[in-house]
């Protein structure tokens, strides 16, 4: 939520910042702003409500000369989306400009105190208090900007990644983080900072991930310096980025979401690369192998996650219970963190997060560690906060996901959870070796099966036209495809703004069945699995009440074909892998319905990727 970017160097500061903002726009698009300093000691701040392109329009013809600059794209928390509330915020004397990602929890107390001292505020944001406080301390103590930042951050409660620019210091940017991501890029005669590495990947592959409590001093002609709030020096740990620019572009697709849906055969290949060997007979997950005893002796697995990742965790529950004989609970990270979770040695907490930065999931990880659980991360963004806070983990390796609606991350998460469950089942001996080999072999075939599912694209596009104007949808599934139903409903809701509910198919008759009529379509995930006969009855129950049915069925199904209004056939796969192939047509259905409604699928209203606030 909110993206920040900064640049210091000989390049075109404005261009670097604007391009960087576009790359970070997935983090919020309520407003955008930029602050530039030049060698004449001028600080220009331009900001505008709405997307980055509005800011570009407003900047055209303006003085954009600069040696350093900071910029921001906002997802509003405190104060409505408006020009006034847009970042950068500046100190009343116009000396400092600041951008911020995070939430300042005690801003009201700090603001009241500053107002008493005569400070005037111009926005409704929590952020403005930071810049006013820093400048108040700098002037009052007659100290340097770095000292003022250190002192101010000691008074602040909450989460922040900030960058500060001073009018008379066109060669310096000060940045700091606590619980919100910040990464510094080190190039030739130039430095960058950003919420993730995407804004500077084409300029340098040298990245330094700032840790909580650290302050970075970016100064022209000097090496990057990192200190803490008490002035102790920290090590500058340079990581080589593996990201490529093509991963950050649409590659000919009209939207990132569609590109990411179609990338899935390849991203699934990446998720299994080097992990499924001997034709599927052996599964190697280093994090499991290195913690063999912990997994073998686990008394319970607790998943913590949010949103789509929570749905993947729900699939994980079925997997671990079925094939590893381990009791599993799945918790919303936001509930878990405030629920006094009873945890201890013997418990494994698995945190799932595409971004690796979701504030609630990160907090849950910290609590689980404090309580003595073994914490394992399943994340996508390499180097993000959650993998750095967990004891061990496995990346899903699906590459940057930019479309706000998660697609390839979901299938990658389910894939990696399957790999983990199979390797634990092997260690525990809870699944016969032949069965592991059968599923292992099927895993290797999954990318091709997904390629086949993607051939349904045109059919789904046509089908979407029939359902575009429905006001409500029910998504039904059973067993490990109950989470697939939840995920399908979430995809539709978030990008088309149609109300959709995911439900266990048999639970429907305990309430939601009352909603069914000819205007309420049901999407039923009904592959040939051990609950097939049961779900056929559920399909009949919907049909008997006049509801129209779109069913996801296994190729060659004839029974449901005769009952449903439309069927989408998916290839046969072992039951535990069916959520991967069944979720793809649901992603496409949501995509085309949203397109038919003229919605901005990559930037749905009110949403942002990477939810770094509570
Ligand atoms: C939905 C979606 C969100 C995220 C959720 C968790 O399409 O993207 O529901 O799944 O915000 O994000 P991560 O996985 O980054 O922790």
């Amino acid at each position: 939520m909110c993206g920040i970017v900064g640049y210091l160097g000989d390049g075109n500061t404005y261009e670097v910042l604007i391009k960087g903002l576009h790359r970070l726009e997935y983090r919020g698009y309520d407003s955008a702003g930029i602050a530039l300093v030049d060698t004449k000691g001028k600080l220009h701040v331009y900001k505008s409500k709405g997307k980055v392109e509005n800011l570009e329009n407003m900047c055209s013809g303006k003085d954009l000369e600069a040696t350093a600059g900071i910029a921001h794209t906002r997802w509003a928390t405190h104060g409505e989306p408006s020009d006034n509330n847009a970042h950068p915020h500046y100190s009343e004397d116009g000396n400092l400009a600041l951008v911020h990602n995070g939430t300042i929890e005690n801003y009201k107390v700090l603001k009241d105190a500053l107002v008493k001292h005569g400070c005037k505020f111009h926005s409704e944001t929590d952020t403005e208090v930071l810049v006013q406080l820093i400048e108040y301390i700098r002037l009052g103590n007659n100290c340097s900007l770095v000292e003022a930042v250190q002192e101010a951050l000691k008074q602040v409660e909450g989460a922040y990644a900030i960058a500060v620019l001073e009018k008379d210091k066109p060669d310096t940017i000060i940045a700091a983080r606590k619980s919100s991501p910040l990464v510094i890029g080190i190039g030739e005669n130039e430095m960058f900072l950003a919420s993730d590495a995407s804004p500077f990947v084409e300029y340098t592959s040298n990245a330094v991930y700032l840790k909580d409590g650290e302050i970075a001093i970016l100064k022209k002609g000097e090496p990057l310096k990192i200190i803490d709030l008490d002035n102790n020096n920290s090590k500058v740990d340079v990581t080589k980025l593996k990201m490529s620019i093509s991963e950050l572009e649409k590659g000919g697709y009209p939207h990132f979401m569609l590109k990411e849906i179609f990338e899935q055969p390849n991203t699934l290949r990446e998720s299994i690369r080097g992990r499924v060997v001997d034709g599927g007979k052996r599964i190697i997950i280093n994090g499991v192998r290195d913690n063999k005893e912990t997994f073998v002796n686990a008394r319970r697995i607790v998943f913590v996650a949010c949103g789509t990742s929570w749905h993947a965790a729900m699939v994980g529950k079925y997997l671990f219970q079925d094939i590893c004989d381990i009791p599993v609970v799945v918790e919303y990270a936001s509930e878990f963190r405030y629920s006094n979770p009873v945890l201890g040695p013997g418990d494994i907490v698995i945190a799932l997060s595409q971004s690796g930065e979701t504030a609630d999931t990160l907090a849950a990880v910290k609590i689980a560690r404090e309580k003595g659980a073994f914490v394992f991360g399943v994340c996508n963004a390499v180097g993000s906060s959650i993998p750095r806070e967990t004891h061990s983990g496995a990346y899903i390796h699906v590459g940057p996901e930019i479309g706000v609606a998660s697609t390839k991350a979901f299938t990658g998460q389910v894939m990696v959870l399957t790999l983990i469950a199979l390797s634990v089942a092997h260690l525990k001996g809870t699944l016969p070796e032949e069965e592991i080999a059968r599923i292992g072999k099927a895993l290797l075939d999954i990318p091709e099966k997904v390629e086949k599912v993607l051939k349904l694209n045109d059919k789904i596009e046509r089908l979407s036209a029939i359902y575009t104007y429905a006001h409500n949808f029910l998504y039904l599934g059973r067993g490990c495809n109950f989470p697939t139903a939840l995920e399908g409903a979430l995809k539709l809701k978030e990008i088309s703004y149609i109300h959709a509910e995911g439900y266990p198919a048999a639970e429907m008759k305990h309430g939601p069945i009352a909603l069914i009529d000819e205007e309420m379509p049901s999407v039923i995930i009904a592959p040939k699995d051990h609950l097939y006969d049961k779900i056929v009855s559920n399909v009949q129950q919907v049909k008997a009440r006049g509801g129209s049915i779109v069913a996801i069925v296994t190729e060659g199904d004839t029974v449901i074909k005769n009952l449903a209004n439309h069927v989408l056939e998916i290839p046969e796969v072992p039951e535990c892998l069916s959520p991967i192939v069944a979720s793809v047509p649901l992603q496409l259905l949501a995509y085309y319905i949203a397109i038919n409604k003229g919605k901005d699928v990559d930037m749905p209203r009110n949403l942002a990727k990477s939810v770094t606030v509570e």
Side-chain angles (χ1 to χ4, degrees), residues 375-391:
V375 187
F376 194 89
V378 176
C379 296
N380 186 35
V382 176
S384 54
S385 300
I386 292 173
R388 282 187 280 126
E389 292 287 340
T390 46
H391 293 107

Side-chain angles (χ1 to χ4, degrees), residues 49-290:
K49 185 179 164 184
K51 294 184 182 166
V52 177
E53 64 177 313
N54 293 1
L55 175 68
E56 285 178 273
N57 292 337
M58 119 171 270
C59 285
S60 109
K62 296 268 177 19
D63 184 356
L64 303 171
E65 269 305 306
T67 52
I70 55 176
H72 186 271
T73 179
R74 180 170 186 244
W75 186 83
T77 56
H78 296 70
E80 59 171 9
S82 68
D83 291 355
N84 239 15
N85 289 333
H87 300 213
H89 291 285
Y90 33 92
S91 54
E92 218 187 319
D93 57 7
N95 185 47
L96 303 182
L98 176 145
V99 290
H100 167 222
N101 163 216
T103 313
I104 304 305
E105 283 161 8
N106 62 339
Y107 84 98
K108 187 80 179 66
V109 180
L110 295 171
K111 185 171 176 175
D112 290 348
L114 286 166
V115 168
K116 269 199 196 128
H117 288 108
C119 255
K120 287 200 180 61
F121 280 77
H122 305 281
S123 78
E124 302 153 301
T125 65
D126 54 333
T127 299
E128 194 183 352
V129 85
L130 269 176
V131 68
Q132 302 278 24
L133 180 63
I134 294 169
E135 184 63 346
Y136 179 78
I137 294 170
R138 197 187 70 81
L139 292 174
N141 297 358
N142 197 16
C143 62
S144 69
L145 176 60
V146 177
E147 288 165 330
V149 168
Q150 285 172 316
E151 183 49 38
L153 294 182
K154 283 181 187 166
Q155 299 183 28
V156 158
E157 285 163 23
Y160 54 78
I162 57 165
V164 198
L165 208 54
E166 191 174 3
K167 197 164 107 182
D168 299 326
K169 303 268 164 45
D171 61 349
T172 309
I173 302 176
I174 309 295
R177 79 155 265 180
K178 186 182 156 215
S179 301
S180 291
L182 195 58
V183 53
I184 315 284
I186 305 175
E188 290 259 319
N189 300 323
E190 56 186 0
M191 280 196 260
F192 309 80
L193 65 90
S195 300
D196 69 37
S198 61
F200 58 77
V201 70
E202 69 227 69
Y203 307 103
T204 179
S205 59
N206 295 323
V208 177
Y209 289 90
L210 222 58
K211 298 188 195 75
D212 274 357
E214 287 184 337
I215 297 178
I217 303 163
L218 288 70
K219 190 153 192 225
K220 190 151 194 260
E222 290 185 13
L224 174 68
K225 189 171 176 199
I226 302 180
I227 56 172
D228 67 13
L229 299 192
D230 297 317
N231 231 14
N232 302 303
N233 282 316
S234 294
K235 192 164 169 265
V236 176
D237 239 334
V238 181
T239 305
K240 281 273 170 215
L241 295 172
K242 293 205 181 90
M243 210 185 273
S244 75
I245 305 175
S246 64
E247 288 178 305
L248 305 171
E249 289 168 349
K250 286 188 199 148
Y253 286 91
H255 297 96
F256 281 109
M257 183 179 177
L258 194 62
K259 177 191 174 214
E260 287 161 6
I261 292 173
F262 272 85
E263 269 176 355
Q264 288 175 110
N266 278 336
T267 56
L268 288 163
R269 276 185 197 106
E270 289 305 314
S271 299
I272 55 180
R273 185 183 297 285
R275 289 166 161 172
V276 183
V277 292
D278 289 349
K281 291 199 191 88
R282 277 194 319 128
I283 313 287
I284 304 168
I285 294 286
N286 293 342
V288 175
R289 190 195 53 198
D290 299 346

Side-chain angles (χ1 to χ4, degrees), residues 306-309 352-358 361 386 401 404-406 413 487 490-491 494 608-611:
C306 303
T308 287
S309 296
L352 264 91
S353 173
Q354 185 286 125
S355 62
E357 299 292 351
T358 299
T361 312
I386 292 173
E401 190 180 62
V404 166
S406 190
Q413 286 167 333
E487 177 58 8
L490 178 61
K491 288 296 85 98
E494 64 185 331
K609 218 166 173 71
S610 203
V611 184

